[in-house]
């Protein structure tokens, strides 16, 4: 992709993502993703009903009158995006490629993060960690991340989610909020890695998918390609049994994913390329606030 084209796309995504994060997600993001705890803010005179355990004895002794410590939520977060860059994301039959949808979602989350003064970093992964961008603050950093998502060329087209999750656990020493953005077309068993990561961090799974993954149209003989292996084959979509088997495969796969997320206590949402991702993210935020 030419540099001028990349810059135009970056600017277009920036305008949309900044608007969404400012006008729609600001409050929901803040309440859905809490800080690390309570941090000391100031002292004030003791008032009836205050917890005596909050008395600052040094200040009290100095002024010969009881003073208490005031705490507020420590809001600053470190947000990590685990971004799938494998070959299966280069697919789309409706409004856009899965990769494009993933980029828009990641960009919106990134701008929501910096509006709350959070640091944000990225792990690009295929069947190995392709690139790690350490967490930082600022608009310039966000635009660099978006540019990388638009133009990044992975070494591999295959996927191994477990490797990426294990990398997150090793590299992030302190608790962070981590979004896994993927279509979750993975063959590795990532459950153990996810369970360990979820015990240490706040992990959220965002699945992007194309509606054709759920249901095949009746369009006769169709040539299909596995973008991760390069394997080609013909599918007779006119055969109802094949269409039903395809649908059942999707349902079984989603049930398995749902079971893994549930057992690992990972909040999750699935967003189609034919859907309004804003509505689906707001649904996710609302679920976390219950």
């Amino acid at each position: 992709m030419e540099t001028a084209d990349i810059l135009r796309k970056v600017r277009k995504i920036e305008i949309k993502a900044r608007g969404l994060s400012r006008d729609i997600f600001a409050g929901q993001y803040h309440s859905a993703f809490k800080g690390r705890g309570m941090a000391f803010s100031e002292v004030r005179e003791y008032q009836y009903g205050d917890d005596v355990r909050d008395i600052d004895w040094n200040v009290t002794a100095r002024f010969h009158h009881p003073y208490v410590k005031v705490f507020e939520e420590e809001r600053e977060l470190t947000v990590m995006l685990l971004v799938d860059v494998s070959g299966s994301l280069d697919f789309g039959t409706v409004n856009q490629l899965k990769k494009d949808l993933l980029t828009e979602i990641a960009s919106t989350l990134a701008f929501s993060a910096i509006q709350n003064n959070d640091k944000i970093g990225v792990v690009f992964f295929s069947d190995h960690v392709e690139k790690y961008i350490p967490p930082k603050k600022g608009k310039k950093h966000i635009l660099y991340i978006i540019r990388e998502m638009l133009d990044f060329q992975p070494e591999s087209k295959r996927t191994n989610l477990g490797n990426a999750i294990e990398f997150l656990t090793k590299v992030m020493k302190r608790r962070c909020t981590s979004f896994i953005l993927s279509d979750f077309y993975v063959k590795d068993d990532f459950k153990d890695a996810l369970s360990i990561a979820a015990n240490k961090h706040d992990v959220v799974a965002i699945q992007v998918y194309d509606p054709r993954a759920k249901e095949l149209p009746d369009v006769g003989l169709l040539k299909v390609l596995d973008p991760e292996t390069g394997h080609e084959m013909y599918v007779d979509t006119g055969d109802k049994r094949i269409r039903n088997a395809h649908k059942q495969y999707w349902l079984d796969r989603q049930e398995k994913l749902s079971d893994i997320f549930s057992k690992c206590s990972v909040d999750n949402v699935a967003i189609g390329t034919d859907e309004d991702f804003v509505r689906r993210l707001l649904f996710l935020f609302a679920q976390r606030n219950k």
Side-chain angles (χ1 to χ4, degrees), residues 252-271:
D252 292 344
R253 182 170 162 271
Q254 291 304 106
E255 184 179 355
K256 182 179 178 181
L257 277 176
S258 179
D259 183 61
I260 291 172
F261 295 146
S262 176
K263 287 180 178 177
C264 295
S265 300
V266 169
D267 291 324
N268 62 95
V269 66
I271 307 175

Side-chain angles (χ1 to χ4, degrees), residues 84-267:
D84 188 347
V85 292
S86 64
S88 61
L89 273 295
D90 289 315
F91 179 78
T93 62
V94 187
N95 297 329
Q96 57 188 335
L97 300 178
K98 289 186 286 183
K99 179 173 69 175
D100 296 336
L101 173 60
L102 186 149
T103 299
E104 285 198 13
I105 295 170
S107 301
T108 303
L109 292 172
F111 275 107
S112 297
I114 63 167
Q115 286 191 10
N116 283 275
N117 202 35
D118 298 336
K119 296 178 183 177
I120 187 155
V122 181
V123 175
F124 292 109
F125 72 92
S126 55
D127 58 358
H128 63 279
V129 173
E130 296 268 357
K131 184 168 186 173
Y132 169 53
I133 301 176
K136 287 174 62 178
K137 296 181 183 180
K139 177 184 171 182
K140 185 177 179 181
H141 181 62
I142 297 298
L143 295 179
Y144 168 62
I145 288 173
I146 295 173
R147 189 168 68 247
E148 285 295 294
M149 284 193 288
L150 286 171
D151 197 43
F152 188 78
Q153 299 299 320
E155 294 177 355
S156 173
K157 291 185 176 294
R158 296 176 183 267
T159 318
N160 189 304
L161 178 55
N163 286 344
I165 297 173
E166 287 174 6
F167 178 83
L168 172 76
T169 303
K170 291 175 184 177
V171 78
M172 297 305 297
K173 303 303 181 185
R174 300 182 68 181
R175 181 175 175 82
C176 73
T177 297
S178 178
F179 294 93
I180 303 174
L181 296 113
S182 173
D183 57 6
F184 290 89
Y185 273 106
V186 296
K187 296 179 180 177
D188 64 294
D189 184 1
F190 62 89
K191 181 181 176 182
D192 288 345
L194 183 62
S195 179
I196 293 169
N199 282 328
K200 183 179 180 182
H201 304 296
D202 181 8
V203 181
V204 180
I206 298 179
Q207 179 190 17
V208 296
Y209 68 91
D210 188 271
R212 293 293 177 261
K214 297 171 65 174
E215 198 157 347
L216 280 176
D218 183 357
V219 292
L221 201 60
L222 189 66
K223 184 179 181 179
V224 296
L225 169 72
D226 185 331
E228 297 198 7
T229 64
H231 177 68
E232 294 182 349
M233 64 181 294
Y234 285 91
V235 176
D236 183 7
T237 62
D239 190 330
K240 188 175 181 180
R241 292 172 301 175
I242 290 178
R243 296 199 306 275
N244 288 341
H246 178 83
K247 185 174 184 178
Q248 190 59 50
Y249 173 78
W250 164 264
L251 294 173
D252 292 344
R253 182 170 162 271
Q254 291 304 106
E255 184 179 355
K256 182 179 178 181
L257 277 176
S258 179
D259 183 61
I260 291 172
F261 295 146
S262 176
K263 287 180 178 177
C264 295
S265 300
V266 169
D267 291 324

